[in-house]
Amino acid sequence: MLTSKRIMTMAVAFLSLSIGAQAGIKPGAVWPDNRGVHINAHGGGVLKSGDTYYWFGEHKADTTSSAMVGVTCYSSKDLENWTYRGVALSVSDQKGSDIERGCILERPKVIYNKKTGKYVMWFHLELKGQGYAAARYGVAVADKAEGPYTFLRSGRVNPKIWPENTPKPDAEVLTSALNGNPKLDWWTPEWMEYVKKGMYTWRDYDGGQMARDQTVYVDDDGKAYHIYSSEENLTLQIAELTDDYTAHTGRYVRVAEGGQNEAPAIMKRNGVYWMITSGCTGWAPNKARMFTATSIWGPWKQLPNPCVGPNADLTFGGQSTYILKIADRPDTYIFMADIWRPEHPSDARYIWLPIEFKADGTPVVEWKDEWSMDDLK
Ligand code: DGJ
């Protein structure tokens, strides 16, 4: 017999199904939000504020990878069920604005600054109509996690400052090479020698360093860092941010010179930094890379791909975007990646997988068809 209590339970179950309540996490599947709509927050990252997690990412349109909306925000208490909170940073309708609708706005990440009480968003920006030539960072601030964020500035990184971990350039030699003497063909060993010496760092010295795929990271001591693909995506750079997190201090290093790394995602565990990146193959997946260091300034040592399981050599079809440390669970880190769908960008999918650790501390990302935060308890 159907008691009224039973009818009520069935109604609640039906309602949660129909509004898309998520049972667990299914990497690669459609991930419905509270409205039952696939989450649209790509190349993103997660920030916890109070007891709430905020997921920020690129809004992707159905037919173009250009930014037609801006950065979206979703909130959750359990990391499985997400509520759409709207557009945190909107593109502009003002012609000539750095963030004019139709620009390229990728890989937004938000950090909270305890001193100023502001939420600070960093992202990769390409000016409208210029393809990927501008290679700028963008920065925006808000008083509340979900925004609205006010766009502050875009630009290249640390103009007229040389990186700390590369010997001062022989300006004449590098300028001459940039002018074709000697003539250096890409990917020849001789060209790579010049790349490592900082030929492109030098080329961009006056105007500032290129900044494409990126993340921002707040260390235990409250210092924050901007980690980005620079020098024609050949070399990563790590640049310190000012105390308010809205600008660079001028201190920066080059990492994996000539190694062609994109999609940096970083974590720290037991005093050791681990960074997962990808190679550079556009929207197509490739084999993840991993680096480790005991200081953010390096030296960074490269280790093998941390992924294990079917399609591990292609990062399970995805590309890293963020590593989320779950502060209130012991030793819990989640690897986040995107499965891009350039022919239908809004249908790009998410890979979230818990990170496990070998006895020596090395991270391992193992594929799971389905898992739940409860499994991690
Ligand atoms: C790979 C990058 O990681 C993405 O963020 C995006 O810039 C694509 N390349 C564009 O091809």
Side-chain angles (χ1 to χ4, degrees):
M1 210 180 90
L2 282 179
T3 61
S4 57
K5 194 170 162 212
R6 196 133 176 251
I7 291 172
M8 190 64 116
T9 315
M10 284 165 68
V12 168
F14 175 75
L15 202 65
S16 23
L17 270 181
S18 60
I19 60 171
Q22 174 94 0
I25 291 174
K26 299 186 189 88
V30 165
W31 194 339
D33 67 8
N34 60 311
R35 307 163 300 173
V37 178
H38 180 47
I39 292 172
N40 197 334
H42 309 276
V46 174
L47 172 80
K48 192 173 189 202
S49 179
D51 63 351
T52 305
Y53 293 95
Y54 294 88
W55 176 353
F56 300 90
E58 306 159 23
H59 173 277
K60 291 261 186 230
D62 293 340
T63 54
T64 171
S65 291
S66 297
M68 307 310 287
V69 170
V71 177
T72 46
C73 176
Y74 294 78
S75 68
S76 173
K77 302 265 191 219
D78 61 9
L79 291 163
E80 293 184 3
N81 298 284
W82 292 91
T83 300
Y84 179 60
R85 301 298 290 263
V87 180
L89 173 69
S90 185
V91 292
S92 168
D93 278 322
Q94 207 185 319
K95 219 176 157 9
S97 158
D98 286 3
I99 54 167
E100 184 178 349
R101 196 182 304 279
C103 66
I104 293 172
L105 199 167
E106 293 180 337
R107 298 185 174 272
K109 307 285 177 304
V110 174
I111 50 182
Y112 175 68
N113 189 289
K114 283 188 190 149
K115 287 186 187 144
T116 61
K118 303 266 186 204
Y119 295 83
V120 186
M121 179 188 288
W122 284 78
F123 52 92
H124 165 205
L125 180 74
E126 298 292 346
L127 302 174
K128 185 175 178 177
Q130 298 186 22
Y132 279 85
R136 293 188 185 194
Y137 71 83
V139 60
V141 290
D143 294 322
K144 287 193 291 177
E146 69 266 37
Y149 284 76
T150 305
F151 175 66
L152 286 186
R153 197 174 67 250
S154 80
R156 291 276 183 99
V157 181
N158 287 330
K160 294 195 162 53
I161 301 174
W162 191 251
E164 282 191 1
N165 65 342
T166 303
K168 283 268 181 291
D170 186 332
E172 249 176 66
V173 170
L174 293 186
T175 306
S176 167
L178 285 162
N179 288 331
N181 181 28
K183 189 178 174 311
L184 297 168
D185 289 321
W186 275 60
W187 300 115
T188 58
E190 201 186 9
W191 168 85
M192 185 55 87
E193 277 310 303
Y194 277 84
V195 169
K196 289 186 173 167
K197 273 188 224 166
M199 176 166 65
Y200 296 112
T201 331
W202 176 241
R203 183 196 66 187
D204 296 335
Y205 179 77
D206 284 338
Q209 301 298 309
M210 298 176 108
R212 291 204 183 110
D213 277 14
Q214 65 109 50
T215 191
V216 277
Y217 174 70
V218 180
D219 212 334
D220 304 333
D221 60 1
K223 283 233 174 277
Y225 301 89
H226 179 206
I227 305 172
Y228 51 97
S229 296
S230 194
E231 305 176 29
E232 303 292 350
N233 288 357
L234 289 163
T235 297
L236 288 168
Q237 295 184 355
I238 301 183
E240 187 182 60
L241 297 182
T242 51
D243 282 353
D244 69 359
Y245 300 168
T246 67
H248 301 98
T249 62
R251 251 195 115 179
Y252 74 107
V253 288
R254 302 169 70 224
V255 176
E257 297 90 334
Q260 265 204 319
N261 287 280
E262 281 193 323
I266 188 171
M267 67 173 177
K268 189 182 189 182
R269 179 175 180 260
N270 300 337
V272 179
Y273 300 86
W274 303 91
M275 181 161 60
I276 299 178
T277 67
S278 74
C280 297
T281 50
W283 300 112
N286 55 57
K287 194 195 243 183
R289 293 103 179 264
M290 185 161 62
F291 296 85
T292 188
T294 49
S295 161
I296 193 95
W297 300 115
W300 287 85
K301 182 180 154 203
Q302 186 160 359
L303 300 169
N305 176 13
C307 299
V308 174
N311 219 7
D313 277 357
L314 287 178
T315 319
F316 319 117
Q319 189 183 25
S320 44
T321 182
Y322 197 70
I323 298 173
L324 173 61
K325 179 178 184 342
I326 312 285
D328 49 8
R329 281 171 193 259
D331 218 18
T332 306
Y333 299 79
I334 296 172
F335 172 73
M336 293 168 51
D338 298 279
I339 302 177
W340 301 113
R341 292 270 157 86
E343 68 298 339
H344 186 176
S346 61
D347 190 36
R349 305 294 172 84
Y350 310 101
I351 297 174
W352 285 30
L353 290 167
I355 300 181
E356 284 152 54
F357 299 94
K358 291 188 193 161
D360 68 355
T362 308
V364 177
V365 183
E366 192 176 353
W367 177 260
K368 290 177 171 41
D369 290 335
E370 187 174 350
W371 62 282
S372 152
M373 289 300 297
D374 292 337
D375 304 340
L376 307 180
K377 272 181 188 152

